[in-house]
Amino acid sequence: MAPGLLLTVPSWGHWLRRPLLHVEATRPYPLRVMLGGPIEGTGELPVPPCAPDGILRFPFFRSEEWSWAGPGTPEERSGGVIPLRAPFPESGGRLKAWRKHARDGTLPPVLLPYLTRVRKWLVVDGHDRLHAALLEGRVQPLLGLWSIFEELVPEDERARLRREGSRIAAEVRLRARPGEVDAVNRSLLREHEPVHRLAVTRAFPLRGGAAAWKAQVTAWRKGSGATVPSDDWAAFVSEPG
């Protein structure tokens, strides 16, 4: 993963922006997310994005089962890429223009903020560019953005042992694959960082609280005409116990 750019926004805290590479969708939800849904924590390292073709499947409302071994499409797994709107038709002029950029290798990156609560990436800018890259069979540049929590790494015996273990693992890896010097160096540098920058998802109060939010989503449901199973909707709008 390429070095990132640390941004500080007044009243919004610290943010990290970093180029990303997508991976194959092979990971189910991790254990910390599986147990009854997402749980509160002090942050985590983002998982790589997977299943970018998830932007072609846009339901107005979707319910997911937080199951370790249950069935599910790739974008429903940890690292899935989730669109915020339906894709435009392939015959449209805008998409045709972006497909030419894809063939020429001149597509600007897609901006993906990270949601730690569900370990997913959202497309906030670049739906058409990502769609064009998929149609052309090209790798689309991805730019991740996430709010961070800085955690000091304690200088204790546990940290010393972990670093010693990483050094031994690096030696073993280089003996087997001498060409991976850069990757090994990056891993060792991470192990010796005095601060871990963990991803967090920030939330801000809504004027009117839960009642105002429920009124907004109920109005949206009526206006959108989306078909939502009654049990799923009841669970969605229910107040946490």
Side-chain angles (χ1 to χ4, degrees):
M1 185 176 286
L5 174 64
L6 182 63
L7 308 170
T8 300
V9 183
S11 303
W12 287 64
H14 301 302
W15 295 72
L16 192 64
R17 190 186 68 188
R18 176 173 288 176
L20 304 169
L21 291 175
H22 82 270
V23 299
E24 295 298 323
T26 58
R27 302 172 314 283
Y29 286 115
L31 184 62
R32 70 179 297 273
V33 176
M34 178 193 69
L35 300 175
I39 58 177
E40 199 68 36
T42 56
E44 61 184 41
L45 294 173
V47 298
C50 68
D53 58 334
I55 66 158
L56 306 180
R57 298 179 288 278
F58 176 73
F60 283 99
F61 184 95
R62 186 175 77 202
S63 176
E64 296 185 12
E65 295 294 330
W66 297 94
S67 172
W68 177 261
T73 60
E75 70 271 13
E76 290 176 341
R77 296 187 170 215
S78 182
V81 176
I82 305 298
L84 296 181
R85 65 164 173 81
F88 289 145
E90 295 181 20
S91 58
R94 180 178 176 83
L95 199 54
K96 289 180 179 179
W98 283 126
R99 291 186 70 170
K100 183 178 186 304
H101 279 283
R103 293 191 295 271
D104 294 340
T106 56
L107 278 175
V110 173
L111 183 61
L112 303 176
Y114 186 66
L115 293 181
T116 59
R117 295 285 287 179
V118 292
R119 286 195 164 189
K120 301 289 184 66
W121 299 90
L122 291 180
V123 181
V124 297
D125 181 68
H127 289 77
D128 296 329
R129 300 194 296 276
L130 185 50
H131 191 181
L134 290 170
L135 291 172
E136 294 295 328
R138 304 301 175 93
V139 176
Q140 166 65 40
L142 304 176
L143 193 61
L145 178 69
W146 56 92
S147 179
I148 63 169
F149 168 82
E150 294 189 333
E151 180 180 68
L152 291 175
V153 178
E155 293 294 336
D156 54 16
E157 182 65 11
R158 182 178 178 183
R160 188 191 68 79
L161 291 174
R162 186 181 66 248
R163 289 169 179 169
E164 178 65 15
S166 67
R167 183 189 65 79
I168 295 173
E171 292 178 355
V172 172
R173 181 176 178 182
L174 286 177
R175 282 198 294 268
R177 297 186 290 274
E180 297 187 2
V181 174
D182 289 342
V184 169
N185 284 340
R186 288 194 297 269
S187 177
L188 289 173
L189 285 173
R190 283 195 299 270
E191 285 296 337
H192 287 79
E193 289 178 346
V195 174
H196 284 165
R197 290 171 175 164
L198 305 176
V200 294
T201 297
R202 298 183 182 275
F204 300 90
L206 175 68
R207 182 174 297 178
W213 173 82
K214 187 172 182 178
Q216 288 180 13
V217 297
T218 301
W220 164 85
R221 182 186 180 188
K222 292 179 180 177
S224 69
T227 301
V228 182
S230 58
D231 290 345
D232 290 341
W233 182 259
F236 178 65
V237 298
S238 63
E239 296 187 13

